[in-house]
Amino acid sequence: MAGPDNIIIGSHVWVEDPGLAWIDGEVIRINGNEIHVKTPHGKTVVTNISKAFPKDTEAPPGGVDDMTKLSYLHEPGVLQNLATRYELNEIYTYTGNILIAVNPFQRLPHLYDTHMMEQYKGATFGELSPHVFAVGDAAYRAMINEGKSNSILVSGESGAGKTETTKMLMRYLAFLGGRSGVEGRTVEQQVLESNPVLEAFGNAKTVRNNNSSRFGKFVEIQFDKNGRISGAAIRTYLLERSRVCQISDPERNYHCFYLLCAAPPEDIERYKLGSPKTFHYLNQSSCYELDGVNDAHEYLATRRAMDIVGINDEEQESIFRVVAAILHLGNINFAKGKEIDSSVVKDEKSRFHLNMTAELLRCDAQSLEDALIKRVMVTPEEIITRSLDPENAVASRDALAKTVYSRLFDWLVDKINVSIGQDPNSKSIIGVLDIYGFESFKCNSFEQFCINFTNEKLQQHFNQHVFKMEQEEYTKEEINWSYIEFVDNQDVLDLIEKKPGGIIALLDEACMFPKSTHETFAQKLYQTFKNNKRFIKPKLSRTDFTISHYAGEVTYQANQFLDKNKDYVVAEHQALLTASECSFVRSLFPPLPEESSKSSKFSSIGSRFKLQLQSLMETLSATEPHYIRCVKPNNVLKPAIFENFNVIQQLRCGGVLEAIRISCAGYPTRRTFYDFLNRFGLLAPDVLEGNYDDKVACQLILDKKGLKGYQVGKTKIFLRAGQMAELDARRAEVLGNAARTIQRQIRTYIARKEFISLRGAAISLQSYLRGNMARKIYDELRREAGALNIQKNLRRHIDRKSYLTMRKSAIILQTGLRSMTARNEFRFRKQTKAAIIIQAHWRCHQAYSYYKSLQKAVLVSQCGWRCRVARRELRKLKMAARETGALKAAKDKLEKRVEELTWRLQLEKRLRTDLEEAKAQEIAKLQDALHEMQSQVEEAKSMVIKEREAARKAIEEAPPVVKETPVIVQDTEKINSLTSEVEKLKALLLAEKQTAKEAKQAHATEQAKNVDLTKKLEDDGKKVDQLQDSVQRLEEKLSNLESENQVLRQQALSMSPTGRALAARPKTTIFQRTPENGNVVNEEIKKALPNPQLTETEEKPQKSLNEKQQENQELLIKCISQDLGFSGGKPVAACLIYKCLLHWRSFEVERTSIFDRIIQTIGASIEVADNNDLLSYWLSNSSTLLLLLQRTLKASGAASLTPQRRRSTSASLFGRMSQGLRGSPQTAGFSFLNGRLLGGLDDLRQVEAKYPALLFKQQLTAFLEKIYGMIRDNLKKEISPVLASCIQAPRTSRASLGKGRSQANAVAQQALIAHWQSIVKTLNNYLKTMRANYVPSFLICKVFTQTFSFINVQLFNSLLLRRECCSFSNGEYVKAGLAELEQWCHDATEEFAGSAWDELRHIRQAVGFLVIHQKPKKTLKEITNDLCPVLSIQQLYRISTMYWDDKYGTHSVSSDVIASMRVKMTEDSNNAVSSSFLLDDDSSIPFSMDDISKSMQQTEVAEIDPPPLLRGHSGFSFLLQHTE
């Protein structure tokens, strides 16, 4: 790939490494043909220049999905690409149309769910990320489009994942061509579910795989002319029979043996089984169980799978009986007999197993023993019976076991094929070949020879296919390819299969001679092929031989070739099992022809396998092949481990490197003109600046560089091997010169910058020194000035100190003189003040003494005068007491006083009584609480009454006044007693007032509580009103549901014979109301009922009435079939239909055809699915009409006919009663008056709907949903083709490569506007159309919300499935387009756009993540919480691993973040969290009838004018009355 001239110092190359197979490094030295390469680890490798391969330093960090896109198509480049993608969990990679699948050894369910199948369905091959579904889809599309059968060849070594890949292919083909079966299970289900059965009996654990298929399988899936699966067949090849008897540690035998040993106890007891350790065929290895596999559960699952594929219980019991018999057969041991070369059953244990084997096979135990230890030889003279020695007896036992198991496996395959069924009329098939891969072990026996022979055949077919694909590519590009050499391996195939001198022919010849041994066979091979370059004789072995296969040399041990090639049908075994009492066992061994049953007949496994292989190749040659190469990345079967040597060997064995060699023989490097100019345009800038076509520009560049042998196709440049490296070397040279120019300029800049800095430093230093000198001079001047200042201040200080001393002395003298004068003055004033105080006290004492004497004299005078006055008053009283009149006056005065007190008591009593009554009226509920207080008040009242009565009685009993002195004394005593009684009454009155006051306070408290209770009562009343509203709405919904149930029951009746009988009855007559009488009278109804006694004259008016009704209906249908338009923003047709149906009372009749005719008219109008204007018109009409019906029709029998009024907000009892009475049936008689509603048509009345009306409502609802879905799907269909262009940024033209970036941006911007503006234009057109037809804003909002959700799903899924879309520049492109949609949402307003912008949250956050800078610095928490909170871990991982920056060369998130994402994904998969990273489009109807009724305003149907067609018709005069 790279010549010596192309590798220079500084080149990055790949060199061989003993540990990593290949390691990259940089060339640091070249000595002739030797180069010194420094690896990233610091190690220096010396190698020949011819063994170094150039490395593409500009390869994407995440690898390429198609290895034909690699700049250097060689072994290390392929290996590095696979390893890079495997590290990112990208397990699939293309090589042209060949798929390489690397086993991840972990579950990746998100890659195989239904969402992923939907994405790959119909997608162009190579458009999406590599996937096994893409291969399956390509095969299916080729079969459908070209009518030719296709085949998919899945190969790989054991553990590479062939079986799982085959399962996924069959699942996908079933998804594409499957159909739900009406009876039983479908073909594709049976094919898929036959896998567990075949795996149980044909798979086993090997060193490299826990579930290795030990047979080849070719599944033919047959399709009918419509592309539906119509049948299937399964073919198997070369079951590894020797595994039944011989296994090596740590492998296992076939799964079915271990499953049977783990069966339920009753089965184990029936078959007399036990632990696998007790059976010879199983205990040769120490491995009995598989990690994570429960054999007991698998046994039950296998039994269920057998049920599914059509194996009944009896056959299942027979199958496992045969399996158990094989286990028992293996435990039969032999010992030497009495005779020479004879043998007998060894012991009782062996005898027990012999008897169990005979019992399970339903044959005679003695016959079984004879068949194992004896042989019958038929000669012309006699029949000779001879015994076998123990060794031959064991061989006979093992031969029987292998034969029985092989026949059992073949029976299972035949049974599955019969159960699935084949389509004899099928014209095309898709075959899926799951075949063993190339094998090369330390010990390679006959099985490896056959397996490698198969792979040589398939490799020849593969080489031819690859060469054919190369030819097709060259022909498509119209280039000359006639001189390309084709690599073929026919010489190896001739060595193996050619007659008569091939290895298989020599093996069959040796097997037919009794005296032949493996040594004689090996010597025959040495002699025959001593000159064959593909055949090698090992030096140190006499029986081994080596064949040079396409994948490398393999040494075979011929020790057991002869034994394993022989497929004797032992006559004794055949006779024994043909005579079995079990029909199942007899069916495994049908009777042989008489001439072949007398002795053992030789049959060659090798020849039979060659014939099978020849048949398979004929089938494959008749089909269009597709290849899947499965690769096992490591031998420890663990994820995230990639062993380079192991993978390289498998790529060789799988023919991938051979295919690359074929490609290298032609033109291994292909580049589109754009990519070529983008990479190598800098080699000829003058070409880019010229106005050349891309193709011409590429050719000019190549010619200018002197390259020969290249080819220029229609769209690509084809380069020979090594030319890419040469161009890269020239490019590196140009870039190196440019780099040197840049370095020179940079060095000049750095030197000048250093000079400027030095000059600045010198100037700064000089400035500093000059400043320092100036500072010193300034310091000296400052010191001199400071000294002068100090001297001046010191002299001033001395002078001031002497002055202050003198001044202080003068002040002290002045102070002493002044203080002496002040003390003399103070002493004088003090004496004067003391004299004044003494005088004041003396005068005060004199005045106080005079006042006291005067006061005492006054008191004495007053006391004397008062005594005198008192004596005078006493005399007057004594005189008055002697008089009777005075006594009577006193008595009267006391009585008045008693009466006044009595009146006051009565007044208090009355006030208390009134207070109690008021309290009793206002607080009825609090009477119990106040009862005790009332009783206390009553007791106090009774006491007052008693006291009053006692006082009154005492007054009445008082004797009359007499003039005797004793009577006067008695009356005085009574007066005194009465006075005391009065005082007591006063005290009681005060007590009662206090009690009344306390009662008033209690009353106020209770009144406050009463107010609170009243408020609570009002709140409860409001809640009761709300509950009544809810109950009423629930009753209405319940009634609607009951009506719908009634509709469904009637539909069921109509489908039943009884319903048909009911339908055969005469229809009920429909009456039309006249303007004079709004209701139909009962007598008229009775007259209208079928009555055989009615005369013909009575029927004629009714007949004319029906005809008139039919005429009106015809006119209405004719009218609504036209576009009536809108009146005041309301659809005329819907309002017209509603008003007519309401007037004709069509909702209340049991039978009518008007509803069906309206539905048929609407259905006929929307037959044109792409007329959005018409669809919007009927969407508006149907939604309005459905809203009117929703608010009018009522299914319950007590439907109110009064106008609906708003519920009063009053919480009073009268309000609640009036609301409860609104729905009463007594008001039904006031619904109509002279043919119109009392409340007008603006208030809709509720009508008791019958079955036709409810059915009409359901049909109208279905039509509304249908029309909505048609408009939404039309919009999706219109924008769907544009979305493919919106997810990937358009490439700039070649001219923009050599011109300014501004022009490139302008071109990109123009391309951006072209695609995204197309979507915006489509959205505007639909919005304009729906608004012109007055579609409710609620429905418009839903249409655009679901459309934006569709855009989000399509863009986001395409972003995750196409790596070229996960780039920085593409993120900027999509972000700019999303800004256009955001602007549209803003212009459309929230009324019509709603939450449409929020539906784009996934693609918005994904694009936002693509265009952020410094992704490696972001933590997982920042990404999940701040940047992309909506995206799942699986989606973030997918974007992070697929991201590449084609603009600035930035990197994705750090490896730590990637590792954290993997951990979270593993936890999610363990927690059964859905791991799909794709979104699903929701095509359901996102609203209900309640949503529409809540969102739409009530339509005023009275304001709609009738159309001219109905305006002059008498039957529609009621429309004019309403409008008037």
Side-chain angles (χ1 to χ4, degrees), residues 195 357 407 501 1009 1058 1098 1151:
N195 282 327
T357 305
R407 297 286 182 92
K1009 291 182 180 179
T1058 309
E1098 293 174 339
R1151 291 186 181 276

Side-chain angles (χ1 to χ4, degrees), residues 55 110 123 186 568 641 691 703 748 1057 1091 1150 1163 1351 1357 1410:
K55 179 184 178 182
H110 62 278
T186 61
Y568 286 104
I641 300 176
N691 190 15
D703 292 339
T748 301
N1091 190 350
E1150 295 287 349
I1351 294 174
N1357 288 348
L1410 290 178

Side-chain angles (χ1 to χ4, degrees), residues 368-381:
L368 175 61
E369 182 178 355
D370 293 341
L372 292 177
I373 63 176
K374 293 182 181 179
R375 286 291 177 270
V376 177
M377 300 181 64
V378 180
T379 64
E381 294 80 13

